[in-house]
Amino acid sequence: MLQRHDLLRVTPDGWPAVLAASPGFQDLEYGPRRLVAGWAERGWPVIARRPAAEEGEGGVAVGLPLPPAYGKLRLALSIPAGLVAEPVAAVPLSAAAGSVPAGWWSQVGRLIALGERLALRPILFGALLWQRLTGLPYLRPGSDIDLIWPGPTATALPDLLDTLDRLDTAGPVRLDGEIALSAGSGVNWRELRQEFRRPGGAVLVKSMDGADIRCVHTLFA
């Protein structure tokens, strides 16, 4: 079963039919239309998303984000299951270190070191992921570094959250992202840190089924 942020590659032969059924694609201007039309042929993936209520169960719900130069739009597409060629492995932060601007190197290096120290392997999503996958210019001034951190042990969690806060404060890039929980759900690390030390702390947990408020202290028991 697909989880949030899973990457999928679509067969090129079926791609035109998928786009023909997409109102969002039909509304694109010429430049973005050309880019999206050749997406599957280039082997670039799409990303799993939560289906909208009106979409039913007839296909695989995916998103395709466009870079800022093409309007920073996100197409919502429905892919017949038979057109999903293969899953694409998640991209760890360490694999994208060479794709970041020089001014980010020190901060990225500290994030990688944090993962190694806690035996966690942060993976990318957001602009840095798509720039790494496609080579297109998704990053711009003010872009965040978006990371998914595997759920740590309860004893390691305060260290992870406090170190992320220090690295975020030191900059130069804003750190965003989630701590992954079971079955593909996740919680924003800032919200988790804010609520973690409160006796009745509660956070918004997102999953493929929706979102719900849960007590912080039940998440890592």
Side-chain angles (χ1 to χ4, degrees), residues 115-184:
E116 292 174 347
R117 178 165 63 81
L118 297 180
L120 301 174
R121 185 172 177 259
I123 64 172
L124 297 175
F125 70 106
L128 182 53
L129 169 68
W130 292 102
Q131 182 153 314
R132 175 70 175 79
L133 289 170
T134 68
L136 297 173
Y138 280 83
L139 295 176
R140 59 179 179 171
S143 288
D144 300 339
I145 295 177
D146 299 296
L147 297 172
I148 300 171
W149 291 84
T153 63
T155 54
L157 182 61
D159 188 359
L160 173 62
L161 296 176
D162 288 344
T163 306
L164 284 175
D165 184 65
R166 288 196 298 271
L167 294 177
D168 177 61
T169 300
V173 188
R174 184 178 186 273
L175 303 181
D176 206 353
E178 298 182 350
I179 307 298
L181 305 174
S182 61

Side-chain angles (χ1 to χ4, degrees), residues 6-156:
D6 282 354
L7 297 169
L8 306 168
R9 192 168 284 117
V10 182
T11 58
D13 290 347
W15 188 241
V18 170
L19 298 181
S22 167
F25 175 72
Q26 305 303 328
D27 292 340
L28 292 177
E29 296 181 356
Y30 176 74
R33 279 174 64 93
R34 284 193 63 192
L35 177 67
V36 174
W39 197 269
E41 188 174 358
R42 294 183 176 95
W44 295 342
V46 292
I47 189 165
R49 61 176 174 85
R50 187 167 65 241
E54 65 274 12
E55 287 183 295
E57 300 180 356
V60 179
V62 300
L64 189 163
L66 296 176
Y70 291 88
K72 202 181 178 184
L73 302 171
R74 179 172 174 137
L75 293 181
L77 304 171
S78 181
I79 310 290
L83 298 183
V84 177
E86 58 184 348
V88 175
V91 180
L93 174 62
S94 56
S99 301
V100 303
W104 296 17
W105 288 348
S106 176
Q107 191 177 22
V108 168
R110 290 184 173 93
L111 287 167
I112 293 171
L114 170 63
E116 292 174 347
R117 178 165 63 81
L118 297 180
L120 301 174
R121 185 172 177 259
I123 64 172
L124 297 175
F125 70 106
L128 182 53
L129 169 68
W130 292 102
Q131 182 153 314
R132 175 70 175 79
L133 289 170
T134 68
L136 297 173
Y138 280 83
L139 295 176
R140 59 179 179 171
S143 288
D144 300 339
I145 295 177
D146 299 296
L147 297 172
I148 300 171
W149 291 84
T153 63
T155 54

